[in-house]
């Protein structure tokens, strides 16, 4: 019996052309505004010591309690496939001493992340993010800059349905009082055992509970905005004013909290309605002034975001946007016979080296099959070389749109193809 054909693991999928080109274009559009703004590229391993996430993301978060791919290596190390990018990037910045150089340090990255989630549209076990982190600056201008750069990326992709929602979670000086007030309120509610436990460990996370009955019970809960210190409020007001100045409309959501423990002050989420209510976030981020100390570093304020590339592509498809990305070639070579194939192989190689997008029919399929391949390739020009052409030292250059055909000297194919393409642009 034949072995069954392998399938991608549950919760994962492949990008094949032309969607493969589209996801690359999404990532490019997300990174372009960052590179333009002086951010440097950073790359870290796709797995880390498990304790980095346990401490850096938070012991009580869904990510750490339910979603991590954790294993012990053959050598006995406890490692985890990265579920998010901020803790690893901060670890790398500290390890490489970036915080001892000129501040702020502005970084961007792009890669795969892994979470053991219940798979559904827009929620996968392997997904990709583009991220940005700025370390060593408390200035609210940085928070605003990051939000503007993300919105510029979405706009460059043609998306019109992305909204940004903002909130402030306060800082060390204001959060403890709020936490206590919220806890007092939550303890009076009739909550299930897990949620009651969460009230004691991390009451803010209860605000993020998506169940309608819990949301209803939270209607009268105290809000962080009532507890912000003067400096927290000034910080938040500056962020909001800078966004307005930049022409970025935003919504205030005093109940916005996010799934990671480390946020302080500015918190934001980019949402889109086209993917499904539970997967509406196409990106999110916030300030994390205490994270460095949590993972054993010095005090080092930071702020950053991660944008979900997969969900952003789904949002584009929901808006009916033509997917960006260049596939195909401009010139397609059609050899008829072995000698012609050998000669055109050299011509196509030279064209490619000159920067012309070119491909060639292989397998000796004859004129009809090869011309079909030429049409599929998206090429504007076909170069057809038959036995008789070869004997006369010419090739046929055919315009695949108009059908017009012209015999040209074989030695001139490269220059003539280039001229022809230039004239068509
Ligand atoms: P959600 O509330 O939807 O679970 P999150 O708060 O866990 O999102 P973050 O950790 O902030 O998400 O990650 C940033 C972005 O990465 C999200 O806004 C989303 O676009 C994307 N993302 C997160 N988890 C997944 C996933 N399992 N599959 C696909 N994209 C994801
Ligand atoms: Mg999540």
């Amino acid at each position: 019996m034949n072995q069954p054909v392998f399938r991608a693991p549950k919760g994962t999928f492949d990008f094949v052309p032309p969607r493969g080109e589209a996801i690359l274009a999404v990532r490019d559009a997300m990174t372009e505004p960052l590179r333009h703004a002086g951010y440097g590229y950073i790359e870290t391993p796709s797995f880390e010591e498990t304790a980095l996430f346990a401490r850096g993301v938070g012991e009580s978060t869904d990510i750490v309690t339910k979603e991590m791919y954790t294993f012990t290596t053959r050598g006995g190390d406890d490692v985890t496939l990265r579920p998010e990018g901020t803790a690893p990037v901060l670890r790398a910045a500290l390890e490489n001493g970036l915080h001892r150089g000129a501040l702020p340090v502005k970084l961007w990255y792009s890669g795969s992340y892994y979470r053991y989630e219940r798979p559904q549209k827009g929620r996968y076990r392997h997904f990709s993010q583009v991220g940005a982190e700025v370390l060593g600056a408390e200035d609210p201008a940085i928070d605003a800059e990051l939000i503007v750069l993300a919105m510029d990326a979405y706009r460059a992709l043609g998306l019109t349905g992305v909204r940004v929602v903002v909130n402030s979670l306060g800082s060390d000086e204001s959060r403890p009082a709020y936490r206590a007030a919220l806890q007092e309120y939550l303890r009076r509610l009739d909550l299930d055992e897990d949620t009651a436990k969460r009230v004691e460990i991390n009451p803010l996370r209860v605000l993020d509970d998506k169940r309608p009955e819990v949301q209803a019970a939270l209607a009268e809960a105290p809000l962080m905005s009532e507890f912000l210190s003067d400096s927290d409020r000034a910080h938040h007001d500056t962020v909001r004013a800078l966004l307005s100045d930049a022409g970025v409309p935003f919504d205030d959501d005093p109940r916005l909290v996010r799934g990671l423990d480390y946020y302080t002050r500015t918190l934001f989420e980019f949402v889109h309605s086209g993917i499904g209510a539970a997967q509406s976030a196409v990106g999110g981020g916030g300030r994390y002034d205490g994270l460095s100390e949590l993972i054993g570093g010095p005090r080092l304020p930071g702020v950053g975001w991660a944008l979900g590339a997969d969900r952003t592509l789904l949002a584009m498809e929901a808006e009916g946007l033509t997917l960006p990305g260049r596939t195909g070639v401009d010139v397609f070579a059609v050899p008829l016979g072995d000698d012609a194939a050998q000669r055109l192989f050299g011509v196509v190689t030279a064209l490619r080296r000159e920067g012309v997008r070119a491909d060639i029919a292989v397998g000796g399929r004859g004129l009809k099959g090869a011309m079909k391949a030429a049409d599929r390739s998206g090429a504007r020009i076909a170069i057809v070389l038959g036995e008789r052409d070869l004997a006369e030292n010419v090739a046929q250059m055919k315009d695949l749109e108009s059908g017009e055909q012209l015999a040209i000297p074989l030695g001139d194919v490269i220059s003539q193809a280039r001229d022809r393409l230039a004239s068509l642009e």
Side-chain angles (χ1 to χ4, degrees):
M1 224 177 78
N2 284 342
Q3 195 175 305
V5 180
F6 287 110
R7 303 189 63 88
K10 185 175 176 192
T12 73
F13 65 96
D14 310 300
F15 281 102
V16 299
R19 219 167 170 259
E21 300 290 332
I23 193 74
L24 274 182
V26 166
R27 292 192 199 112
D28 280 352
M30 288 172 168
T31 58
E32 171 57 24
L34 298 168
R35 307 178 78 166
H36 219 75
Y39 287 61
Y41 176 67
I42 184 167
E43 192 167 305
T44 66
S46 36
F47 58 88
E48 296 274 352
E49 213 179 303
T50 299
L52 173 69
F53 299 116
R55 265 190 262 150
V57 176
E59 301 272 8
S60 72
T61 58
D62 281 352
I63 289 181
V64 172
T65 55
K66 298 182 215 160
E67 297 175 0
M68 296 209 301
Y69 280 90
T70 297
F71 57 101
T72 307
T73 66
R74 290 167 197 276
D77 296 331
D78 188 7
V79 299
T80 292
L81 300 184
R82 61 184 179 195
E84 61 98 47
T86 302
V89 164
L90 189 51
R91 193 268 310 138
L94 294 171
E95 183 171 339
N96 290 279
L98 303 189
H99 60 302
R100 289 193 293 268
L103 297 178
V105 184
K106 297 184 171 186
L107 303 167
W108 74 270
Y109 52 95
S110 172
S112 288
Y113 296 85
Y114 310 86
R115 296 184 192 176
Y116 191 78
E117 304 214 54
R118 196 167 66 76
Q120 32 197 314
K121 186 180 180 191
R123 189 173 297 284
Y124 311 110
R125 291 180 174 177
H126 167 262
F127 57 98
S128 71
Q129 293 181 336
V130 167
E133 315 287 349
V134 178
L135 307 175
E138 276 190 86
D139 195 318
I142 297 293
D143 311 29
E145 167 178 302
L146 280 162
I147 293 172
V148 171
L149 292 172
M151 290 302 274
D152 284 352
Y154 291 125
R155 204 185 34 207
L157 286 166
L159 283 164
T160 53
V162 178
R163 286 188 307 127
V164 58
V165 181
V166 303
N167 190 22
S168 173
L169 286 185
S171 56
D172 290 350
E173 56 188 28
S174 55
R175 190 123 57 123
Y178 173 60
R179 190 178 186 276
L182 182 63
Q183 241 166 3
E184 199 180 292
Y185 175 88
L186 295 173
R187 284 188 189 125
R188 289 201 300 264
L189 301 178
D190 181 25
L191 297 167
D192 62 272
E193 196 180 322
D194 272 0
T195 313
K197 228 183 260 166
R198 187 168 289 163
V199 171
E200 299 313 315
I201 306 166
N202 192 343
L204 265 72
R205 290 283 326 283
V206 179
L207 296 177
D208 205 17
D209 200 313
K210 304 243 157 55
R211 291 172 294 177
E213 66 275 17
V214 179
Q215 279 304 318
L218 292 172
E220 304 287 312
L223 295 174
M224 183 66 226
S225 50
E226 298 152 13
F227 288 78
L228 291 181
S229 68
D230 288 347
S231 65
D232 288 342
R233 190 175 302 283
H235 186 102
H236 196 49
D237 287 345
T238 303
V239 173
R240 296 167 75 256
L242 290 173
L243 290 178
S244 296
D245 287 352
V248 172
F250 57 88
D251 292 326
D252 292 300
D253 180 357
R255 289 172 185 281
L256 179 68
V257 284
R258 305 196 63 248
L260 305 107
D261 268 356
Y262 47 60
Y263 290 116
T264 51
R265 289 192 164 166
T266 313
L267 191 68
F268 49 89
E269 206 157 78
F270 305 99
V271 293
H272 191 279
S273 59
I275 312 162
Q279 275 76 244
S280 62
V282 288
R287 181 164 276 285
Y288 46 81
D289 292 342
L291 179 58
S292 171
E293 287 154 292
L294 269 182
I295 63 168
R299 170 136 188 105
L300 183 67
V303 52
W305 50 237
L307 311 185
D310 313 76
R311 280 191 201 171
T312 299
L313 183 54
L314 290 174
M316 293 181 64
E317 288 164 351
E319 287 195 17
L321 291 166
T322 24
L323 303 178
R326 258 157 78 91
T327 38
V329 294
D330 293 321
V331 176
F332 198 89
V334 175
L336 304 171
D338 292 344
D339 294 342
Q342 191 175 351
R343 188 65 189 266
L344 278 190
F345 183 90
V347 169
V348 165
T349 299
L351 279 168
R352 289 171 176 163
R353 286 181 177 154
E354 297 251 330
V356 176
R357 307 188 311 150
D359 198 4
I360 183 168
V362 292
R365 268 183 300 170
L367 186 60
K368 210 169 145 210
M371 289 313 285
K372 253 192 204 154
D375 280 336
R376 267 200 308 269
S377 76
R380 269 311 297 273
I381 298 173
I383 305 293
V384 183
L385 188 63
E387 298 290 342
R388 182 136 47 98
D389 297 318
L390 201 53
E392 292 170 11
N393 217 23
V394 296
Q396 305 294 327
M397 185 162 85
K398 183 171 182 182
D399 185 317
L400 289 170
E401 218 155 86
S402 66
E404 179 194 337
Q405 190 169 315
L406 189 73
I408 54 172
L410 247 179
D412 294 351
V413 167
I414 294 166
S415 62
Q416 294 230 12
R418 295 190 71 163
D419 289 352
R420 188 55 175 270
L421 286 171
S423 76
L424 292 172
E425 262 172 16

